[in-house]
Amino acid sequence: MSVDTYLKGKNTSGYHRIRHEDITILIAPKLLSQANEVHLATKRKVMGRKLVAVAFHQHSASCRH
């Protein structure tokens, strides 16, 4: 999974938006179609904070899990 924090000039109209306090999270349509859960957490580091995202895969009949 990639994270992009520079959005100037990018088309984000297809992304699902989730708002939590003062943070807006944009979720790609592909992730929405392939995951049934996404967990987000922040962790404190020496040089600031880090955002951690874990997506849980939604298995289908054609999936080899």
Side-chain angles (χ1 to χ4, degrees):
M1 175 184 307
S2 65
V3 175
D4 193 351
T5 58
Y6 185 76
L7 299 176
K8 186 175 181 178
K10 294 186 180 167
N11 180 6
T12 60
S13 61
Y15 286 72
H16 182 75
R17 295 174 188 273
I18 296 175
R19 185 110 173 113
H20 179 72
E21 296 177 6
D22 62 342
I23 298 171
T24 300
I25 301 164
L26 302 173
I27 301 178
K30 190 75 165 180
L31 180 59
L32 283 175
S33 70
Q34 294 183 352
N36 60 354
E37 288 183 53
V38 177
H39 293 236
L40 298 172
T42 58
K43 293 186 177 185
R44 288 199 180 270
K45 295 286 188 177
V46 175
M47 299 296 289
R49 292 176 13 171
K50 176 181 177 182
L51 178 65
V52 177
V54 178
F56 294 91
H57 181 71
Q58 182 175 335
H59 297 286
S60 65
S62 63
C63 180
R64 290 186 220 153
H65 43 35

